[in-house]
Amino acid sequence: MAQRRVGYFVGSLSSTSINRTLSRALIRVAPPALEFTEIPIGSLPLYSPDFDADYPPEALALKAAIAESDAVLFVTPEYNRSIPGALKNAIDWASRPWGQNSFDHIPAAVIGASIGSIGTAVAQQSLRGVLSFCNARQMTAPEAYIHFSDDVFSSDGEVKVESTATFLREYMSEFHDHIERVLTVLPRS
Ligand code: FNR
């Protein structure tokens, strides 16, 4: 089985992000064939088309990191029933300049954790719309809306509740299958 490189985005800039904790949990339970590298978004300037002719180093690094990935995973909070501005800004950078959209045909999955009971469901729908326009090949099922609790997750990503660990393990196994299916017909060059 080929190793697959997954670049992952944490949509939060918080130093105590529960979504970063979720990303650690996902990496712990993922199939061994998946290798993970975080794609940082915190130092990107705000996108403007004025940069299209001469991208700054942070944005060039972002696009290079996606190019080196076989797939991307978005682990994001919900902010005001959508995705955080920092994540949208990163996606806007990666989608440009026109004709050089980094997400074209890339296998992708979305997941998120919230302290609220709907577990980022609205943000994920918003993100799915953005990724559709960017032509990413999204895993549509299973969906995963995580209601975060310290009783379930340790800060290092240990999942303390077996049913949650099983659910996340199956989610990542399905993501691996999805990556293989997409790359079979749409290999990354
Ligand atoms: C939130 N939060 C939140 N939660 C939610 O379920 N739906 C929402 O629309 C919002 N909106 C929102 C806006 C802003 C600006 C903040 C700062 C927070 C609460 C959010 O789920 C909580 O802060 C999480 O801890 C955010 O995830 P990270 O940053 O810890 O990964």
Side-chain angles (χ1 to χ4, degrees):
M1 181 71 67
Q3 291 295 113
R4 300 299 187 187
R5 295 160 300 186
V6 177
Y8 69 96
F9 294 84
V10 176
S12 173
L13 304 185
S14 167
S15 60
T16 58
S17 169
I18 60 175
N19 282 278
R20 181 167 304 287
T21 300
L22 176 59
S23 73
R24 293 185 185 121
L26 293 166
I27 292 168
R28 275 180 178 244
V29 300
L34 299 182
E35 297 169 0
F36 294 86
T37 304
E38 182 172 357
I39 301 179
I41 63 173
S43 61
L44 288 163
L46 290 177
Y47 172 77
S48 163
D50 294 350
F51 289 116
D52 280 358
D54 186 17
Y55 259 35
E58 296 89 346
L60 290 173
L62 172 82
K63 288 180 77 71
I66 298 169
E68 288 162 10
S69 302
D70 294 308
V72 287
L73 173 66
F74 294 86
V75 188
T76 187
E78 181 170 287
Y79 275 10
N80 300 315
R81 295 288 182 258
S82 187
I83 58 173
L87 180 58
K88 180 60 163 54
N89 182 53
I91 294 171
D92 290 344
W93 275 112
S95 69
R96 293 285 163 151
W98 177 251
Q100 297 174 50
N101 166 24
S102 299
F103 295 118
D104 192 34
H105 291 315
I106 198 165
V110 303
I111 189 170
S114 170
I115 55 174
S117 57
I118 61 171
T120 73
V122 184
Q124 289 189 43
Q125 286 305 310
S126 176
L127 178 56
R128 285 185 180 283
V130 174
L131 294 176
S132 292
F133 185 74
C134 292
N135 209 28
R137 301 296 157 188
Q138 297 176 63
M139 181 170 76
T140 49
E143 299 169 300
Y145 308 121
I146 307 302
H147 180 203
F148 190 89
S149 163
D150 290 334
D151 295 338
V152 180
F153 296 95
S154 301
S155 60
D156 63 356
E158 182 197 355
V159 186
K160 296 185 263 187
V161 174
E162 189 48 40
S163 59
T164 303
T166 299
F167 174 77
L168 295 177
R169 193 175 296 112
E170 288 174 1
Y171 176 90
M172 293 307 281
S173 176
E174 290 284 346
F175 184 38
H176 180 222
D177 291 349
H178 174 75
I179 293 168
E180 294 302 328
R181 280 188 210 105
V182 174
L183 295 181
T184 299
V185 290
L186 297 167
R188 307 266 297 154
S189 52

